Amino acid sequence: MKLLLIEDDLEMADALRTALSQHGVVLDSVADLATAREAIAMADYDIVLIDRQLPDGDGSALLAEMRRSGKSVRSIIVSALGSANDRISGLNDGADDYLPKPFEIDELVARMSAVLRRAADKASPILVIGNVTYDHTSRDVHVKGIRLLLARRELLIFETFLRNRGRTVLRSLLEERVYSFNDEIQSNSLEVNLSRLRRKLADAHANLVIKNVRGIGYFLHELD
Amino acid sequence: MNVYSLRWRFTIGFILLQLCAIAASLVLVFYAASGARPDSAIPSIWLSDAIAESIKVGVDGKAIIVPSRQLSGMIEKWPSLWFVVELPKGDLITHGDIPEKVAGNISFLRTFRNAELHGYVDDPTNVVRLQRMETIAGEAAIFTGGMSMSQYSLILLLGNIAIGVPSIILATITVLGVPLVTRWALRSFNDLTDRLDKIDFEARGGVVDDRAMPNEVLRVLNGINMALRRLDSGFETTERFFVNAAHELRTPIAILQLRIDTLAPSQDKSHLQTGIKRLTAITNQLLDIEKYRQKPPRKTRVELNSIVSKIVADFAPLAIAEGYEMSFESRAKCAFVLGEPDALERALANLIRNAIQYGGKTGEISVGIEADGSILVTDQGPGIADDMQVRIFEPFYRINPHGTGAGLGLSMVNDIVTSHGGYVEVVSSPGAGSSFAVRWREARVDFH
């Protein structure tokens, strides 16, 4: 993995370089936007880490330039500006992720992997979560390489969970996704489907567990 | 009225001043009177009137005199008193001994309309007065004499007329008018205090409305407004400094954290990591608190069911990852609070985060809305000892000094809930879990 870091605080740059080198990441670092432009033009980077407050401008300006030039470089903003508004504006400017300072190095590495994985996901239709895989094209689910046979509604439920990874899925959303207008929803029908899906995942020893958030909905918990 | 009220002082002051002025005028007049040395005897000015009043018309059509009480008194007091009344029909009424020198000159005196002959002080009865007056029997020429009055009485009389009557009018106006005028003039001060009462000193940028204020009050008001603006800008500077300081801390903390992360695993490393986590939590929460404080609270209707269920949904993944079950239950169909949705969400998020952090990583975290709109966050953790329950809302207080929290979460919850007109209750005992209740003084709950 090759990285470009745009950071004017030299000590911060040095600390990041040392920390990332332990994770096998090669890092070029520049201190201002002008040098960053040259570096991006000359080399191919997997990810650009951008600080926002730079001596010659706001790092987010670079995002628009990169997009215009057609270079598909992934970018993560790493900034001391950490309020919700700052994050929203950074993501709207086109950053793939926004990490407020300070952060743990493991989190940065995890986010970098996630950003790259998302880029790869678009190319490859296979989603991998622990020992479970899901194929977007064939809609097949495998646990430990063995195909998991799911009924239509169980699959719809499972896909709704995958589309909302890391979030609580409201009961109303599940009902909406799983049943059409014409279906008569029996009050316990969703529960029946959910418990079947639960049992199938458990029997296959999947590291995914469906947790009930009583009064709200359900959450697909990924076991470590 | 309070003795220290301006209105009272003005009223009393002006009334006293006016009364003093009146009294001084009177004293001056009488002083002047006492200084006047009488050098002549003056015929009584009352006598002619008393005689004219006593003239009546008899049954035969002739004029007669029936002495009034006043006239009888005078006759009794002054034996030397005399008078002559000449009436149009030739009637003549006389009384007493008319001095020779007057009787012989009546025809001479008659050629004048009025006449007054003064005598010497040591011979007070040697005075004459001619006055023509309207009586019941027609116009009479009344000659009087043999009775005098002192000059003091005259001056007193004139004094009373010239000073006394205006004094009474003035005194009446003063006593009745001054309080009214004072109240009218000082009304602006009441307006001023009314307007001051309307200012919300918690909110930034509040100034006193200065429309239609008299100049004197305007100066006070401008002073107040200037002070308010200065305070505001001082506050802003401090706040900006505070926010900048918290911001500036982030990069050095980030550097420190990265340096520590690269250390080989050891007990020291984990200690340092705990310290860094705490430092991060403190800076984040300081910024959070300031962010919430900078905004004057909006007053929008916030529906509790929707924000509470949203926050529970947001935090459920974290709670589950930490080993809890999580649930939400509402007994109120619709519960509204007037206030700032962001702030309320932040308060609730802090309560739930607190439960996740200190709930013992086991059992259920249940969030509920009661029928009266109260919000309950209950955990099944180790609970909080009685003596600590009061202190947990203090800023920077932490039950576990080795934890990574900043000790600001619950203090922020308390601040936000209080500013929304509510209060936070804790029910907890060691080993029996904790329950935090956010209660509103004004419940706005619909049951439809």
Side-chain angles (χ1 to χ4, degrees):
Chain A
M1 209 193 299
K2 196 170 180 195
L3 234 74
L4 176 67
L5 169 69
I6 313 171
E7 166 67 73
D8 62 327
D9 189 316
L10 296 181
E11 215 196 325
M12 178 74 197
D14 184 52
L16 251 181
R17 191 203 320 279
T18 319
L20 283 174
S21 69
Q22 293 188 344
H23 290 261
V25 179
V26 184
L27 183 85
D28 288 348
S29 87
V30 295
D32 54 45
L33 287 175
T35 330
R37 285 187 194 103
E38 285 173 28
I40 292 169
M42 275 161 43
D44 271 336
Y45 293 102
D46 293 308
I47 293 178
V48 185
L49 297 180
I50 306 173
D51 183 20
R52 286 199 50 190
Q53 295 148 303
L54 290 164
D56 53 350
D58 192 317
S60 54
L62 195 65
L63 295 167
E65 284 173 34
M66 291 198 308
R67 215 172 37 236
R68 271 198 301 273
S69 71
K71 280 218 165 205
S72 64
V73 185
R74 305 283 133 197
S75 56
I76 299 178
I77 294 179
V78 178
S79 170
L81 303 173
S83 77
N85 283 339
D86 291 322
R87 293 187 213 195
I88 291 164
S89 79
L91 292 173
N92 282 343
D93 285 338
D96 290 283
D97 206 344
Y98 196 114
L99 189 59
K101 288 179 192 171
F103 50 84
E104 282 173 46
I105 191 68
D106 289 343
E107 184 174 5
L108 176 63
V109 171
R111 287 196 191 214
M112 292 195 309
S113 314
V115 163
L116 291 177
R117 199 170 53 228
R118 273 214 297 278
D121 274 356
K122 279 178 192 157
S124 122
I126 310 284
L127 175 68
V128 183
I129 311 167
N131 60 9
V132 181
T133 60
Y134 169 76
D135 188 327
H136 285 283
T137 6
S138 66
R139 299 174 73 191
D140 285 343
V141 180
H142 286 81
V143 180
K144 292 179 178 173
I146 301 161
R147 179 141 183 245
L148 196 67
L149 288 170
L150 297 178
R152 189 174 67 90
R153 282 189 174 138
E154 292 158 19
L155 183 63
L156 284 170
I157 292 173
F158 189 64
E159 285 173 339
T160 310
F161 279 126
L162 291 186
R163 220 169 281 132
N164 292 282
R165 267 181 80 188
R167 288 201 295 269
T168 309
V169 180
L170 302 186
R171 202 195 141 86
S172 57
L173 179 70
L174 276 179
E175 282 173 347
E176 193 181 293
R177 286 287 155 86
V178 176
Y179 300 97
S180 72
F181 291 124
N182 304 332
D183 288 338
E184 252 182 68
I185 309 171
Q186 281 161 353
S187 63
N188 63 346
S189 151
L190 183 67
E191 274 76 10
V192 170
N193 282 305
L194 267 167
S195 74
R196 279 200 205 116
L197 174 61
R198 238 183 213 144
R199 201 167 43 231
K200 284 181 181 174
L201 285 170
D203 290 348
H205 301 290
N207 56 1
L208 294 178
V209 179
I210 296 168
K211 287 279 192 174
N212 183 6
V213 183
R214 195 155 49 82
I216 301 280
Y218 301 88
F219 173 64
L220 186 70
H221 181 46
E222 301 169 16
L223 299 169
D224 292 330
Chain B
M1 249 186 284
N2 188 334
V3 189
Y4 294 105
S5 97
L6 268 185
R7 205 176 123 196
W8 187 241
R9 286 187 191 184
F10 272 120
T11 311
I12 291 294
F14 279 126
I15 290 179
L16 286 178
L17 199 71
Q18 303 267 48
L19 293 181
C20 283
I22 293 165
S25 316
L26 288 171
V27 166
L28 208 66
V29 167
F30 294 122
Y31 175 75
S34 69
R37 270 192 321 113
D39 56 356
S40 53
I42 303 164
S44 164
I45 58 170
W46 314 117
L47 185 53
S48 316
D49 289 297
I51 293 164
E53 269 172 29
S54 304
I55 305 263
K56 302 278 183 278
V57 180
V59 272
D60 53 355
K62 286 185 125 187
I64 52 163
I65 189 151
V66 182
S68 64
R69 250 178 73 197
Q70 195 188 10
L71 184 59
S72 311
M74 289 172 177
I75 291 169
E76 204 172 303
K77 195 174 170 194
W78 297 83
S80 58
L81 186 148
W82 61 264
F83 60 79
V84 176
V85 181
E86 287 182 351
L87 287 153
K89 286 179 195 161
D91 292 337
L92 195 69
I93 299 166
T94 62
H95 169 81
D97 301 325
I98 302 153
E100 199 66 23
K101 57 194 175 194
V102 179
N105 286 302
I106 286 278
S107 53
F108 163 68
L109 287 171
R110 203 182 280 133
T111 60
F112 299 92
R113 191 177 189 286
N114 294 311
E116 205 170 85
L117 302 175
H118 296 180
Y120 291 97
V121 180
D122 48 5
D123 185 8
T125 56
N126 185 25
V127 291
V128 181
R129 183 184 170 91
L130 158 61
Q131 200 170 357
R132 292 183 198 274
M133 299 184 94
E134 207 51 53
T135 70
I136 205 160
E139 199 201 52
I142 303 171
F143 298 81
T144 57
M147 173 193 169
S148 73
M149 61 187 284
S150 76
Q151 218 160 14
Y152 293 122
S153 333
L154 181 70
I155 290 168
L156 253 178
L157 177 77
L158 292 176
N160 277 343
I161 293 167
I163 303 293
V165 175
S167 294
I168 289 167
I169 296 170
L170 207 57
T172 314
I173 290 176
T174 299
V175 169
L176 296 180
V178 166
L180 288 176
V181 172
T182 313
R183 199 156 95 187
W184 172 71
L186 293 181
R187 202 189 40 199
S188 319
F189 279 99
N190 289 343
D191 287 356
L192 178 67
T193 46
D194 284 351
R195 289 183 195 183
L196 279 174
D197 284 345
K198 278 189 202 134
I199 287 203
D200 180 2
F201 288 98
E202 285 292 312
R204 220 52 61 68
V207 289
V208 190
D209 182 8
D210 60 0
R211 272 173 306 164
M213 278 288 180
N215 290 335
E216 295 78 2
V217 180
L218 211 55
R219 280 168 61 185
V220 177
L221 219 155
N222 285 342
I224 293 172
N225 280 346
M226 245 161 69
L228 280 177
R229 283 193 200 104
R230 247 200 323 261
L231 278 177
D232 272 358
S233 78
F235 254 126
E236 252 160 52
T237 316
T238 319
E239 253 167 24
R240 218 177 303 126
F241 175 80
F242 186 77
V243 169
N244 286 343
H247 249 349
E248 286 304 314
L249 278 173
R250 293 183 154 210
T251 304
I253 294 173
I255 295 169
L256 202 56
Q257 173 144 41
L258 289 170
R259 297 273 189 225
I260 292 166
D261 284 348
T262 50
L263 293 176
S266 70
Q267 208 180 357
D268 284 344
K269 180 181 176 178
S270 65
H271 283 324
L272 288 170
Q273 276 171 331
T274 313
I276 280 288
K277 265 188 196 149
R278 203 176 142 217
L279 208 52
T280 310
I282 291 176
T283 39
N284 284 344
Q285 284 198 321
L286 284 177
L287 283 170
D288 231 21
I289 289 175
E290 273 316 296
K291 199 177 125 208
Y292 156 69
R293 268 209 209 142
Q294 279 171 345
K295 278 194 223 156
R298 269 185 297 155
K299 295 284 179 208
T300 38
R301 274 161 69 91
V302 184
E303 209 283 302
L304 295 176
N305 281 306
S306 67
I307 72 157
V308 176
S309 63
K310 176 174 164 277
I311 301 273
V312 173
D314 286 351
F315 275 92
L318 180 61
I320 288 166
E322 294 283 336
Y324 299 99
E325 300 284 323
M326 196 155 192
S327 73
F328 170 70
E329 191 182 5
S330 174
R331 292 180 202 279
K333 185 115 187 161
C334 258
F336 290 99
V337 170
L338 277 186
E340 175 78 37
D342 289 354
L344 287 168
E345 279 185 20
R346 193 163 306 137
L348 197 65
N350 267 296
L351 269 186
I352 295 176
R353 198 179 291 132
N354 191 68
I356 292 174
Q357 203 161 1
Y358 302 108
K361 316 277 180 223
T362 174
E364 190 183 61
I365 294 174
S366 54
V367 181
I369 297 180
E370 304 209 311
D372 64 353
S374 301
I375 303 170
L376 251 66
V377 178
T378 309
D379 66 47
Q380 297 171 350
I384 308 161
D386 276 351
D387 53 333
M388 287 175 181
Q389 286 180 12
V390 211
R391 302 203 59 198
I392 51 173
F393 295 106
E394 291 172 15
F396 298 107
Y397 181 78
R398 298 179 308 146
I399 291 180
N400 173 13
H402 303 296
T404 55
L408 287 170
L410 287 178
S411 120
M412 193 202 304
V413 172
N414 199 36
D415 282 355
I416 293 173
V417 171
T418 309
S419 79
H420 283 78
Y423 56 98
V424 186
E425 262 179 11
V426 196
V427 179
S428 178
S429 57
S434 308
S435 179
F436 287 81
V438 174
R439 304 205 185 276
W440 315 105
R441 284 183 213 287
E442 281 174 69
R444 282 149 281 213
V445 186
D446 298 337
F447 293 101
H448 53 83

